[in-house]
Amino acid sequence: MELRVTDLSCRRGGILVLKGVNFALRSGQALVLRGPNGVGKTTLLRTIAGLQPAASGDVTSPDDAIAYAGHADGLKAALTVRDNLNFWASAYGTKDITPALQAFDLAPLLDRQAQDLSAGQKRRLGLARMVVTGRSIWIFDEPTVSLDTHNTQLFADMVRKHLTNGGIALLATHINLGLPDAESLDLSSFRALAESQAETDDAFLAEGF
C-alpha cells in the first residue's frame, strides 16, 4: 500500500499557496507536516483527502483508503457517544465500535449526548471515529487541539497501533508525538504565494486598475 503525492500544487481561495509538493508513504510510515501558520498545511491535507481539487499534480492511493479528521469533530450533537460511533461505523461499512471506545477510554461516556461533552471529550470522540472507518490511510489536521497530556498520549498510541498494523498516517501538528521513524516535511520550501501575488498584480494591471 502506498500514498504518493507527485508535483502537487494547491489553491486556497483561488490563490496558489503550494507548488510542487512531492512525497511517498508506504505501509507503517508516518509523515508530519511542518511550517508556519498560513503556509498551506490544511489546504494540502484537504486536497490529498479529495475534499478540494488540486491545481496540478497527482495524488495516488488505493480506492477508499483515506479517512480525514480536520478541525471539526464531525459529531451529531443530539446523538450519544455510542450512536455517533455506530453512525460512522455504518457509514463506512464496519460494525465493531469497541476498539474506538478503548482507544480514548470512552466507555464511561457511552450514553452521553455529544452536545453535553466537554471540548476535550468531543475531540476524543471525533478522533476515535477514525478507528471505525476501517481505512488504512489516516489524515489529521492539528489533532491534539483541546487534548490534555494524557489524551495526547492516547492519541499517539492509537496512531502507533495503526502504523504497526500496516497503516499510514499523515499529520499536521506542532506536537512531538514520539511516533516511530516518523519523518517531517517543512512546507515552507513549497510556498507559492509570491508567484501568485505577482500573477494577481499582473491581472490588475492588465485591467487598468
Side-chain angles (χ1 to χ4, degrees), residues 31-157:
L31 179 67
V32 178
L33 301 180
R34 305 290 190 188
N37 290 340
V39 74
K41 296 186 293 294
T42 294
T43 301
L44 177 62
L45 293 179
R46 288 178 55 84
T47 302
I48 293 172
L51 299 177
Q52 64 183 62
S56 63
D58 295 294
V59 177
T60 306
S61 68
D63 292 339
D64 297 325
I66 294 176
Y68 172 79
H71 295 157
D73 293 317
L75 307 177
K76 292 186 175 294
L79 295 184
T80 64
V81 168
R82 176 192 284 107
D83 290 339
N84 266 285
L85 289 176
N86 280 328
F87 169 82
W88 285 108
S90 176
Y92 283 96
T94 59
K95 295 180 179 180
D96 188 9
I97 67 171
T98 302
L101 294 172
Q102 294 174 340
F104 276 105
D105 192 24
L106 291 169
L109 304 173
L110 204 56
D111 295 315
R112 189 175 301 182
Q113 289 182 324
Q115 63 191 4
D116 296 325
L117 300 176
S118 69
Q121 290 168 338
K122 289 178 181 177
R123 195 59 171 166
R124 288 159 56 194
L125 177 56
L127 293 171
R129 69 182 168 84
M130 296 290 277
V131 178
V132 304
T133 66
R135 299 292 175 89
S136 54
I137 300 173
W138 288 357
I139 296 179
F140 297 98
D141 192 1
E142 297 296 346
T144 60
V145 172
S146 299
L147 295 185
D148 58 21
T149 301
H150 172 68
N151 285 299
T152 296
Q153 185 58 55
L154 289 182
F155 170 73
D157 291 342

Side-chain angles (χ1 to χ4, degrees), residues 193-207:
L193 285 176
E195 178 180 329
S196 299
Q197 186 61 53
E199 293 175 354
T200 302
D201 291 345
D202 289 344
F204 270 84
L205 291 172
E207 294 293 335

Side-chain angles (χ1 to χ4, degrees), residues 6-11 16 18-21 47 53-59:
T6 306
D7 200 24
L8 191 66
S9 297
C10 308
R11 295 184 184 275
L16 194 69
L18 292 171
K19 183 177 182 180
V21 180
T47 302
S56 63
D58 295 294
V59 177

